[in-house]
């Protein structure tokens, strides 16, 4: 016991431990929102079950399929009618529209311009053919004198071959 008396006495002091935290968690958020979450009512009850235990989605789908099969003959009839109308429209002769152009001033001007162009072309051809004929006559007389023939561009060499063969 003597040992016990020689050891210094232990002091019992308690320090409160501080824990990190905030103003609250999920509960305070729920309180802050209040009744807003409850105000959103669902309109989709397809995952619910009826009294016989079947899901409402399967019942609704079965009704939709039955209605679709019931209206199938009418849909096919309409489809055939549309196809028939389309074929008839395609086979029908297209309407020809006769367009009548009654602008007398334009017609007169058009004829006048055509006559002027024809006259001008004739004059040009006559002017060109006269010097061409004159050059042919003079070239043939000088060619016979010199013994060498002058040729006009585009003339055939058949005359030359006939002369040389004789």
């Amino acid at each position: 016991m003597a040992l016990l008396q020689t050891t210094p006495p232990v002091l019992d002091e308690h320090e409160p431990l501080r824990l990190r935290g905030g103003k609250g968690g999920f509960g305070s958020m729920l309180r802050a929102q209040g009744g807003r979450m409850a105000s959103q009512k669902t309109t989709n009850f397809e995952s619910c079950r009826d009294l016989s235990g079947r899901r409402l989605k399967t019942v609704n789908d079965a009704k939709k399929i039955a209605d679709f099969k019931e209206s199938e003959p009418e849909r096919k009839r309409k489809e055939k009618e549309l196809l028939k109308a389309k074929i008839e429209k395609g086979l029908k002769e297209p309407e020809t529209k006769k367009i009548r152009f009654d602008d007398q001033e334009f017609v007169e001007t058009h004829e006048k311009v055509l006559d002027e162009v024809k006259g001008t072309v004739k004059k040009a051809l006559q002017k060109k053919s006269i010097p061409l004929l004159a050059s042919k006559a003079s070239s043939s007389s000088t060619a016979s004198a010199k013994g060498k023939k002058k040729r006009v561009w585009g003339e055939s060499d058949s005359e030359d071959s006939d002369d040389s063969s004789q």
Side-chain angles (χ1 to χ4, degrees):
M1 296 225 171
L3 285 175
L4 287 177
Q5 291 177 352
T6 59
T7 57
V10 179
L11 297 173
D12 279 335
E13 287 189 31
H14 294 287
E15 264 187 62
L17 298 174
R18 294 210 168 214
L19 297 175
R20 291 186 178 243
K23 297 178 182 178
F26 189 66
S28 65
M29 282 180 24
L30 286 177
R31 275 193 303 277
Q33 279 194 344
R36 281 184 272 171
M37 288 181 72
S39 67
Q40 295 176 351
K41 301 285 181 181
T42 183
T43 57
N44 185 5
F45 295 105
E46 289 187 337
S47 61
C48 297
R49 297 181 183 265
D50 62 359
L51 293 176
S52 63
R54 296 186 307 172
R55 291 203 183 270
L56 292 178
K57 181 174 173 62
T58 57
V59 174
N60 292 340
D61 289 345
K63 286 180 185 177
K64 286 179 186 177
I65 290 172
D67 291 342
F68 183 78
K69 284 185 177 179
E70 186 177 305
S71 65
E72 189 174 4
E74 183 180 339
R75 255 192 345 274
K76 286 192 176 187
R77 182 185 53 80
K78 284 182 181 180
E79 193 174 300
K80 284 181 182 179
E81 287 177 3
L82 288 173
L83 183 63
K84 194 174 189 179
K86 189 174 181 180
I87 290 172
E88 288 176 1
K89 184 180 177 185
L91 293 176
K92 193 181 219 182
E93 291 286 328
E95 295 181 16
T96 55
K97 295 180 180 178
K98 292 185 179 180
I99 300 173
R100 201 175 157 123
F101 192 69
D102 288 333
D103 189 1
Q104 196 61 31
E105 183 180 336
F106 174 78
V107 173
E108 290 172 2
T109 309
H110 184 286
E111 289 174 358
K112 184 179 175 183
V113 169
L114 278 177
D115 290 339
E116 288 177 4
V117 169
K118 284 180 183 178
T120 307
V121 170
K122 279 184 183 179
K123 285 180 185 177
L125 287 175
Q126 286 174 353
K127 285 182 180 178
K128 193 151 192 143
S129 66
I130 292 171
L132 187 63
L133 291 175
S135 68
K136 278 186 181 179
S138 65
S139 67
S140 63
S141 63
T142 56
S144 60
K146 291 183 180 179
K148 204 174 195 185
K149 273 191 173 180
K150 289 186 178 178
R151 293 186 195 151
V152 178
W153 180 260
E155 273 189 11
S156 65
D157 293 338
S158 62
E159 295 173 348
D160 294 340
S161 62
D162 291 340
D163 292 339
S164 62
S165 64
Q166 291 177 355

